[in-house]
Amino acid sequence: MKYFLKLNVVSMLYALMVFVPLELMVNVYRITRLLNWKVDTVNIMTGIMLIVEIIGGTLLILFLTRKWLDGRKASFWTIILWLPYFILFIYIFASIFPITNGGDYPNPATGLLAIGGLIVYPFYILILNFVGMISDDETNRTI
């Protein structure tokens, strides 16, 4: 039961890792309007947040995969389990913060970037699971 909960927590973290940058990217005009910043400033801040989250999130997920998921093959379920949490996060965010201003709708090109990122994301999770399964105490082979 503990492993099941740990697997779901890691899956939620995977969903958050893609949800936060996607929402920042989609809500550029809303952030610009609410904070009275220029669009360029918001784009730069979004890019910085994206880089920080990719580096920090990858290190956190690798640590949790090695520590919590113990290199089990069941950790590959995270490739599928992140998607329901991602959909739940989007639904909750859209319910709490609906678009009330017509100028807040995202650019159509943003949707294409989001689709491309969401197609590649399961492969990113697969790579992280493979790297996380490698144990630290492997012995070196001598010839």
Side-chain angles (χ1 to χ4, degrees), residues 20-21 24 37 40-56:
V20 171
L24 286 174
W37 288 355
D40 293 338
T41 307
V42 173
N43 284 333
I44 290 170
M45 295 302 288
T46 300
I48 291 170
M49 288 294 296
L50 177 71
I51 291 169
V52 168
E53 186 175 352
I54 287 174
I55 293 170

Side-chain angles (χ1 to χ4, degrees), residues 7-23 53 57 60-61 77-90 118 121-122 124-125 128:
L7 185 68
N8 280 293
V9 168
V10 170
S11 297
M12 285 163 79
L13 288 174
Y14 275 125
L16 275 175
M17 278 183 59
V18 74
F19 171 74
V20 171
L22 185 68
E23 285 299 323
E53 186 175 352
L60 176 69
I61 291 294
W77 279 102
T78 57
I79 296 172
I80 298 170
L81 286 177
W82 72 274
L83 192 59
Y85 290 114
F86 177 69
I87 293 169
L88 179 70
F89 292 151
I90 287 179
L118 291 175
Y121 195 64
Y124 169 75
I125 296 172
L128 285 181

